[in-house]
Amino acid sequence: MVLHPKAKVRVAGQEVTFCCKASGTPVPKKYYWYHNGTMLEKKVHRYGSRLTLRGLAPEQAGTYHCKASTEAGAIKSAPAQLTVLAQGQQSCKPEPEPSLVELPSECPQDATGSRYYNVGRCPPTPCAGGPGDRSGCGAEAGRCCGVRRMEMREIPCAGSLLPVKVVAECGCGPCAQPRVLVQGRVTAADTGEPLRFGQIFLGGRKVGFTGYKGSFTIEVPPDTQRLVVRFVDRQQRFVDAVKVLPFNRRGGAVYQEVKMLRKKEPVELDGNWSNAIPLGEASGREPIGELVLPAGAFLRPSGEVFKGTVKASVTFLDPRDMVTASAASSDLSFADAEGEIVPLRTYGMFAVDFREGESGAALQTGPVEVRMDTGQVWMPEHLQKMKLWSLNPETGLWEEEGVLRPAGGSRGKREERTFLVGNLEIRERRLFNLDVPEDRRCFVKVRAYSNEKFNPYEQLEGVVISLINLEPQPGYPANPRAWGRFDSVVTGPNGACLPAFCDSQRPDAYSAYVTATLGGEELEAVASSPKLNPNAVGVSQPYLGKLGYRRLDHDDPNLKKTAFQINVAKPDPNNVDETNGPIYPYRSLEECEEAPVSANHLRFYRVEVDKYEYNVVPFKESDLTSWTGDYLSWWPNPQEFRACFIKVQIEGPQEYMVRSRNVGGSHPRTRGQLYGLRDTRSVRDMLLENTSGACVEFKCSGMLFDQSLVDRTLVSIIPQGSCQRTAINSLLREYLNRHPPVAENNHTAAFTMLAPVDPLGHNYGIYTVTDQNPRLAKEIAIGRCFDGTSDGFSREMKADTGTAVTFTCQERPAGRESFFQRLLTAPAEA
């Protein structure tokens, strides 16, 4: 499906057109349209690949999707929502929805004890098209609900007034069209070496190369539903990786670590003889099966039988080894006869590469046999359903090659074995798979939070949640013997719903292993020992007990805290305790996606080194559509985000909070006005005594949102404690002197500068990174700052490397206020 119908909003009486388009061989000509799952009559609506509805009535609202079919198969589009408004009904309410931001710690709490302030937001919902709107099939920018007017308020905080801009009115305007990106690194699954200058394909089209360190950035084409990317190693050391990468439709970049499987060393075979190659004999296990190549099976592309020496490389990905899940290709799905994309459960996949011994020219094969050991199939009902599949590298979908049928066979004299046998011809370089379609499916609800408080309004978007389906070993429900499939979903404003196999009879028939990453950083799961706290996990008892929630370090505190395992126990519809999540039946996807935050769900959170951010113009970094053009916006350009950090070294007995206060410095519209505050706790350097370092964000200098004049931000760096400034980086001081005006630095407990316009680098103690995703720009800059280099990355603080300014702090005599404290209580005087 290359064009999917798009969501539309119309007023009753107007008309609407939905479009879809499928490609394939032969070219699809038959299209069928469905409203809320019911097929619309072709004679009445006279549709082909377009569906036009005139004189809309309210009952025509709902979801629409199309299905295209040929003799080769069928495929369904994603559903599109049609909203039909009554005459005079507004699709964008002028009153903003509530949206809370946390105020700095020195601000007084309100009557309810909260330090949150409602700044309002306009939901980016589509607005109704005008009566003259042409409902074409091209890309239409459309109109969306957005901010029409903002107001400045002032909040009394510790003796001064803190400015904040709040949304006063919403209205319809052009929809924001943020760029949608997928970024990441491609490395070898075994050694971690990067895929240097590997080719990247989208569908059959080459779109670029990976970098020297294996890094890549892909702009997701508009209207993409499944992003299928193929990575090819030009030196042929690795098996091509076909990945279905998750992305955030609301814009911004999602970070992915892609693993490639190293090709197995080739073995020499004689083409005149019959040969058998074991599948999955590694690490002392019984093979899952074998590939049997009869005499004369090898063919040149012309069809001529090749009888010489063959170099045969067969690489098997063994799901009995948990580590292989990250290197598996595709998302293990196929399109069924109805065009529905349905999951598979794998017993192993293999890639073959046959070449002539002398010339190295690629060979094909005539009929060969795949034999699978029935003793390796733990679910008896799977024996009747086992099939052989090959992966289409352009669609990322598996296509049926044949059925495996039972046949007797023996392995030597000592043991009798039965096999499932299937036939196959290898005509092109594809990945093959031993799989069963699995229909016992559920969804698992997961949310990610910015900290351990689990506040509903501090959820993180753009987090990649991955779920690997496991099969427990008989008798050892906690000890999985194999993985069956995996899925990744990106969290939106209401979390994520992940597909998983489930069972209603035996709660532990399937279990799931779940992880969460944000920009390459792993998030932490809620602890399960020494005591399981249902309120922290997010699931109430007794269902939590049935799910058997265990964090990875449950039995061994040395293991990581970044994953949990549950039994995917299908909810019992007659048990009221199991009807509120976190597991939902497969038909209840909408219920899962729209579940309120009070419903049961599983949780990850970000382990923040104490950190606080305040923007005068509120902006949610995980939702790029929340950006507002304003002179006081922290980020002046929603297409490109520049993150700036300064490295502060602190000599002192403990870790200290360090604040950056960011004010307009040279621009006539913002001079003296606050942009925002950043507080960061310093991190101890493990190699240096009584020394810690802080990487503190400041607002970069540069153009403001109107792109007409540069502002040099006036940045003050103030450690909290009894601290004296003892050193300034000489290169930085020299740079600031050469680029006047120079900020006054007459208070020794702080450091003030008019921020440099140039991206200076580690020699100056300043770290600048530009990216289309604000959070990723910050993550990369912090990694470099910790490392003290302009291209490295570290999570361990190297406090004396690449530093801009040094403070010496001591324990303060009781009763004496620090400069930081005085700044909070009497800022004018301070």
Side-chain angles (χ1 to χ4, degrees), residues 633-634 644 660-667 670 673-676 698-704 710-716 736 741 743 752-757:
S633 295
W634 184 276
C644 294
S660 81
R661 185 180 165 80
N662 302 267
V663 176
S666 60
H667 195 289
T670 62
Q673 291 188 66
L674 184 70
Y675 290 116
F698 63 89
K699 185 187 181 301
C700 306
S701 291
M703 295 281 190
L704 297 187
V710 165
D711 182 44
R712 298 261 319 262
T713 315
L714 182 64
V715 179
S716 303
L736 296 172
T752 306
M753 67 174 178
L754 279 157
V757 177

Side-chain angles (χ1 to χ4, degrees), residues 277 279 288-294 316 348 350 352 367-373 386-389 401-405 407 419-426 432-435:
I277 298 175
L279 301 173
I288 277 178
E290 58 189 9
L291 183 62
V292 180
L293 304 148
F316 186 75
F350 59 96
V352 299
V368 299
E369 230 176 47
V370 177
R371 298 162 69 85
M372 184 175 178
D373 181 354
M386 191 71 64
K387 293 182 178 180
L388 193 55
W389 308 77
E401 288 279 344
V403 178
L404 278 87
R405 304 194 187 286
F419 288 96
L420 294 175
V421 177
N423 293 308
L424 170 70
E425 288 190 18
I426 300 168
F432 299 98
N433 200 347
L434 301 158
D435 271 27

Side-chain angles (χ1 to χ4, degrees), residues 669-688:
R669 293 291 295 263
T670 62
R671 192 179 291 131
Q673 291 188 66
L674 184 70
Y675 290 116
L677 308 170
R678 297 291 187 265
D679 292 347
T680 307
R681 185 176 294 284
S682 64
V683 176
R684 199 170 289 288
D685 187 317
M686 292 307 176
L687 302 176
L688 299 171

Side-chain angles (χ1 to χ4, degrees), residues 459-497:
Q459 290 188 65
L460 293 173
E461 292 183 50
V463 175
V464 179
I465 312 278
S466 296
L467 182 149
I468 301 174
N469 252 117
L470 309 171
E471 265 183 25
Q473 232 162 19
Y476 298 97
N479 186 10
R481 63 165 295 279
W483 60 269
R485 75 173 275 112
F486 52 87
D487 281 279
S488 295
V489 177
V490 176
T491 56
N494 199 32
C497 293

Side-chain angles (χ1 to χ4, degrees), residues 772-791:
Q772 285 89 354
N773 180 329
R775 201 186 279 129
L776 209 57
K778 286 158 74 159
E779 284 294 324
I780 296 167
I782 289 169
R784 290 177 182 175
C785 177
F786 267 58
D787 198 46
T789 61
S790 288
D791 56 0

Side-chain angles (χ1 to χ4, degrees), residues 436-447:
V436 287
E438 185 60 278
D439 47 13
R440 292 179 288 188
R441 295 180 279 162
C442 288
F443 285 100
V444 180
K445 182 72 180 219
V446 182
R447 297 177 189 270

Side-chain angles (χ1 to χ4, degrees), residues 263-286:
K263 277 189 180 173
K264 202 155 180 215
E265 282 299 315
V267 291
E268 292 200 346
L269 307 176
D270 186 336
N272 295 304
W273 294 88
S274 177
N275 294 281
I277 298 175
L279 301 173
E281 81 288 8
S283 61
R285 290 194 182 98
E286 280 292 337

Side-chain angles (χ1 to χ4, degrees), residues 63-142:
T63 60
Y64 288 82
H65 77 265
C66 83
K67 180 173 100 176
S69 72
T70 69
E71 54 269 40
I75 192 76
K76 274 185 186 175
S77 76
Q81 187 71 31
L82 173 64
T83 306
V84 180
L85 304 170
Q87 295 287 344
Q89 186 186 350
Q90 288 177 315
S91 53
C92 177
K93 296 191 176 86
E95 307 79 42
E97 287 184 355
S99 175
L100 303 176
V101 297
E102 188 181 1
L103 298 176
S105 55
E106 63 269 20
C107 296
Q109 296 177 339
D110 65 13
T112 62
S114 168
R115 204 182 282 114
Y116 285 85
Y117 191 82
N118 182 11
V119 294
R121 72 182 277 272
C122 302
T125 49
C127 289
D133 268 18
R134 283 203 61 250
S135 306
C137 293
E140 45 177 278

